[in-house]
Amino acid sequence: VRADMLRVADRLECTESPIEMLVNNAGFGIHASLLDKDFSIQEKAFDVMCLSVLVLSGAAGRAMSARGHGSIINIGSSSGIITTGNYSAVKAWVNTYTEGLANELRGTGVTVTAVLPGWVHTEFHERAGINASKLPDLVWLQADDIAREALDDNAHGKVISVPSNRWNAAYWIGRHLPRSAIRA
């Protein structure tokens, strides 16, 4: 609900008992065609995973830069570099927006990081109706490891955090393959 999001944004800008770190981690899987006439799930995805990131990160960035310190971590996804429907498009926006915000906040004392995990052992896939049971153990990451690495990368001013060497390699390949190969 927009009113709730704006209430959180107001809290982020409150000067009494300031927030030192914002982590935008809200999200859900999207199972809908880009051609569906009913775009309500797409609209909800934009509200939850784009608009709220824009509004809340902006509020945090204004407050934190005024104080000269703070951290913003936005959970994007490695799927933001591939082309698997609206989820990839939404996460690509989060990844790119976060890089733009980091540019705007450069030199203010505020660190901004986009975290681009791959497959994570959580309830996300089950709740999204994604059958991931046949994926090899090699692709899976633990949420605690991702959180630890993301916090460390943010503390070191890293704008893009891709947890684990194997997902870093996959990300590098995805960024350097021709887009036609990614679509295939």
Side-chain angles (χ1 to χ4, degrees):
V1 175
R2 185 171 292 231
D4 293 332
M5 177 188 60
L6 295 175
R7 194 168 28 261
V8 173
D10 287 343
R11 173 61 184 97
L12 287 165
E13 292 195 73
C14 181
T15 56
E16 296 176 22
S17 187
I19 303 294
E20 293 297 325
M21 177 178 280
L22 170 67
V23 178
N24 280 307
N25 188 35
F28 58 91
I30 305 167
H31 283 301
S33 168
L34 295 172
L35 302 174
D36 285 349
K37 189 170 184 169
D38 177 6
F39 58 89
S40 59
I41 192 68
Q42 314 286 9
E43 185 175 35
K44 182 178 179 184
F46 286 129
D47 286 347
V48 170
M49 294 183 273
C50 294
L51 183 61
S52 66
V53 170
L54 173 79
V55 171
L56 299 180
S57 295
R62 287 187 297 277
M64 292 173 181
S65 63
R67 292 192 309 269
H69 56 88
S71 299
I72 299 170
I73 298 176
N74 293 326
I75 306 303
S77 176
S78 292
S79 73
I81 61 167
I82 60 175
T83 55
T84 56
N86 200 32
Y87 186 79
S88 289
V90 163
K91 289 305 185 173
W93 183 90
V94 172
N95 299 347
T96 302
Y97 168 80
T98 303
E99 288 184 278
L101 183 63
N103 284 341
E104 283 197 35
L105 290 170
R106 185 180 299 127
T108 66
V110 181
T111 56
V112 182
T113 303
V115 181
L116 284 60
W119 294 85
V120 185
H121 278 298
T122 65
E123 73 284 351
F124 177 87
H125 303 100
E126 182 181 327
R127 292 178 70 190
I130 299 169
N131 180 2
S133 63
K134 295 186 187 202
L135 289 173
D137 288 341
L138 176 69
V139 302
W140 290 99
L141 300 173
Q142 299 299 321
D144 289 349
D145 295 335
I146 294 168
R148 216 176 350 271
E149 194 165 341
L151 291 169
D152 186 57
D153 285 347
N154 180 264
H156 287 94
K158 199 168 179 183
V159 176
I160 299 292
S161 174
V162 183
S164 88
N165 289 334
R166 62 188 174 268
W167 280 103
N168 253 308
Y171 176 73
W172 188 91
I173 291 167
R175 295 283 296 199
H176 291 87
L177 282 176
R179 294 304 291 170
S180 58
I182 296 294
R183 287 189 302 274

